[in-house]
Amino acid sequence: MPSLEDELFPSTPGKFKVDRAHNMNRQFHRCFASTSTMFLWALFLIALTASYLSFQSFVDSGSRYFSASWGGIQWEKQVRNSAQIHRSGGMSVLVTGAAGFVGTHVSLALKKGGDGVVGLDNFNNYYDPSLKKARKSLLNSHGILVVEGDLNDAKLLAKLFDVVAFTHVMHLAAQAGVRYAMENPNSYVHSNIAGLVTLLEICKSANPQPAVVWASSSSVYGLNEKVPFSEADRTDQPASLYAATKKAGEEITHTYNHIYGLSITGLRFFTVYGPWGRPDMAYFSFTRNILQGKPITIYRGKNRVDLARDFTYIDDIVKGCLGSLDTSGKSTGSGGKKKGNAPYRIFNLGNTSPVKVPELVNILERHLKVKAKRNIVDMPGNGDVPFTHANISLAQREFGYKPSTDLQTGLKKFVRWYLSYYGYNNRKGLQ
């Protein structure tokens, strides 16, 4: 079959008939008509495709709008109501990780004191999300809104700051746990480093800039053997990835303080425990297993030395958090530009009275009235350290921090909450 080019321009010259011009003219008309038709069909198909894509985009946008957990006039109203300040000179605080253990207690204390509070939490499944949902319900009952969203969602953070001019940020959201870092290291980088940077980027660009108080960890002391641990001690020998991400957070926050004038306070928590605590913590899992008649695993260090921790009751940690917020000072930047030096502080928040883990178990046995089935093993190389001991003199000097709850009293309160929350009763001989 001859090509279009062959039909228009024959390859054998000198053999044209008299009606050559007429034939060529007819061919041109036929070709033009065919080409025009094809062109029109192409335009039609392009228009149809564009219409479909536009409609699909509209559907997707609508779907995202209706399925999103934030946004809209009603949502903005809830955010503003939750952030409303009810005392003279009060704060409007964004609490990240608000449905977490420490976040719940800090949010309740702020609200009780007349400050405005808006929570943010992603409700991940590192441990049972139902406990986080229960904490959220508790916060809601006190007029505290907890927005469900990820710390790395810059659009959500920007929207929150657009709706409310937060004076302070209490940053408690993090991927917790020393041992879990060996299973899922990326989650620590995502939450503890990338999430922190995302938050600081929003804070540095806010106008006015908020003061930032955030949770570091006693784990940054790592392999340090000098006791008690002081803020002036070396922290460049982390023993776990979790510790390394918290140490990285301290360096990152220092950078944002230096370049952008953000007021930054880092808090090194020492083994926090109490009601509404984290199920992955030893005291919590010990309680569960003792009540269920299951053996508990107690680790010991080198040369059969018992592990010891500076157990700090949640109410004492809350005191430290509120004291840090109250004395944080102001950020000095505006629109991402530094106008002067701003405070940069790091404090230990501990109990200053380390207790050996076997003694912790003894106390739980007395409160539960059940003997534990102990399985004592050598501590594996999983990033845990043999002991922690806080020097809290700096926090005492700066804002009067003074822990007041010993382990015996604190565990009694925890056990009472645990039995109530999980439905145990006195008929089992438990109080």
Side-chain angles (χ1 to χ4, degrees):
M1 183 177 180
S3 67
L4 180 61
E5 183 178 356
D6 291 335
E7 289 183 5
L8 293 177
F9 303 102
S11 59
T12 309
K15 294 186 178 179
F16 296 101
K17 296 181 181 179
V18 177
D19 63 348
R20 174 188 176 209
H22 175 73
N23 289 335
M24 287 191 65
N25 190 39
R26 188 168 59 183
Q27 293 285 0
F28 270 115
H29 279 293
R30 186 183 301 165
C31 176
F32 180 77
S34 176
T35 304
S36 299
T37 302
M38 291 175 62
F39 180 70
L40 290 173
W41 273 107
L43 284 178
F44 175 74
L45 290 173
I46 291 172
L48 187 64
T49 302
S51 299
Y52 171 78
L53 292 176
S54 298
F55 177 74
Q56 190 64 39
S57 176
F58 172 78
V59 171
D60 291 343
S61 298
S63 176
R64 285 195 299 269
Y65 176 81
F66 287 112
S67 64
S69 59
W70 61 274
I73 296 175
Q74 186 61 34
W75 177 83
E76 291 183 14
K77 182 179 179 180
Q78 291 176 323
V79 171
R80 291 192 184 95
N81 287 341
S82 187
Q84 190 171 355
I85 300 171
H86 295 281
R87 69 177 176 95
S88 177
M91 300 174 284
S92 180
V93 188
L94 173 64
V95 180
T96 71
F101 173 31
V102 178
T104 296
H105 285 273
V106 170
S107 297
L108 289 171
L110 286 168
K111 195 71 172 182
K112 184 178 180 180
D115 295 304
V117 183
V118 175
L120 176 67
D121 204 291
N122 69 353
F123 296 91
N124 67 25
N125 60 358
Y126 168 63
Y127 60 81
D128 186 5
S130 67
L131 181 57
K132 300 177 185 180
K133 295 292 185 182
R135 296 188 191 122
K136 179 183 179 181
S137 296
L138 176 64
L139 294 174
N140 288 341
S141 69
H142 286 79
I144 300 172
L145 174 68
V146 181
V147 177
E148 185 166 353
D150 192 275
L151 194 61
N152 285 281
D153 188 344
K155 290 183 178 179
L156 169 57
L157 291 176
K159 184 63 178 178
L160 285 169
F161 273 86
D162 182 54
V163 175
V164 176
F166 293 106
T167 61
H168 294 75
V169 171
M170 186 76 224
H171 176 45
L172 299 168
Q175 175 59 63
V178 170
R179 298 166 194 166
Y180 183 62
M182 299 179 70
E183 301 176 30
N184 191 1
N186 289 335
S187 65
Y188 290 79
V189 176
H190 175 80
S191 297
N192 301 0
I193 297 179
L196 174 61
V197 171
T198 302
L199 176 64
L200 292 175
E201 279 291 301
I202 298 297
C203 291
K204 68 133 191 199
S205 300
N207 194 7
Q209 290 178 335
V212 179
V213 179
W214 73 288
S216 183
S217 170
S218 61
S219 66
V220 300
Y221 291 108
L223 303 178
N224 177 33
E225 295 183 353
K226 173 182 169 293
V227 291
F229 298 158
S230 170
E231 293 89 346
D233 292 344
R234 289 181 59 182
T235 54
D236 58 354
Q237 295 178 303
S240 67
L241 178 62
Y242 169 72
T245 61
K246 287 298 186 178
K247 176 59 180 176
E250 292 186 354
E251 303 302 329
I252 290 169
T253 53
H254 183 274
T255 301
Y256 275 81
N257 165 264
H258 173 68
I259 297 177
Y260 301 110
L262 281 174
S263 169
I264 304 284
T265 302
L267 303 177
R268 294 173 178 170
F269 295 161
F270 281 72
T271 316
V272 190
Y273 73 100
W276 295 100
R278 280 178 22 218
D280 63 312
M281 298 288 285
Y283 73 95
F284 201 113
S285 61
F286 285 172
T287 300
R288 179 178 62 246
N289 287 353
I290 290 172
L291 288 172
Q292 294 177 359
K294 299 178 180 178
I296 63 173
T297 299
I298 302 174
Y299 293 118
R300 62 187 176 191
K302 294 180 180 179
N303 302 318
R304 298 176 178 269
V305 174
D306 291 327
L307 304 187
R309 292 288 182 270
D310 199 338
F311 295 102
T312 313
Y313 189 63
I314 183 61
D315 288 359
D316 292 327
I317 289 294
V318 170
K319 291 177 188 176
C321 291
L322 297 190
S324 297
L325 287 168
D326 289 335
T327 61
S328 60
K330 293 185 178 181
S331 294
T332 61
S334 178
K337 294 183 179 180
K338 179 180 177 181
K339 295 184 177 180
N341 293 328
Y344 181 82
R345 312 177 300 171
I346 292 180
F347 297 115
N348 288 338
L349 294 185
N351 193 50
T352 74
S353 302
V355 175
K356 294 180 179 180
V357 175
E359 177 57 26
L360 165 75
V361 178
N362 292 341
I363 296 173
L364 285 175
E365 287 177 328
R366 289 197 292 271
H367 288 316
L368 295 170
K369 298 181 179 180
V370 180
K371 292 293 292 183
K373 299 176 181 178
R374 306 186 187 207
N375 181 26
I376 302 175
V377 300
D378 292 333
M379 182 175 67
N382 57 15
D384 266 336
V385 293
F387 59 86
T388 60
H389 185 182
N391 179 334
I392 60 171
S393 59
L394 185 59
Q396 286 177 326
R397 184 166 65 250
E398 288 292 317
F399 51 85
Y401 175 67
K402 186 178 180 181
S404 59
T405 307
D406 59 52
L407 188 60
Q408 176 81 22
T409 303
L411 284 179
K412 182 177 181 179
K413 293 179 179 180
F414 165 73
V415 167
R416 187 183 304 136
W417 168 84
Y418 187 98
L419 298 177
S420 173
Y421 182 80
Y422 287 102
Y424 288 87
N425 54 60
N426 291 333
R427 285 180 298 176
K428 293 183 179 181
L430 304 173
Q431 298 178 2

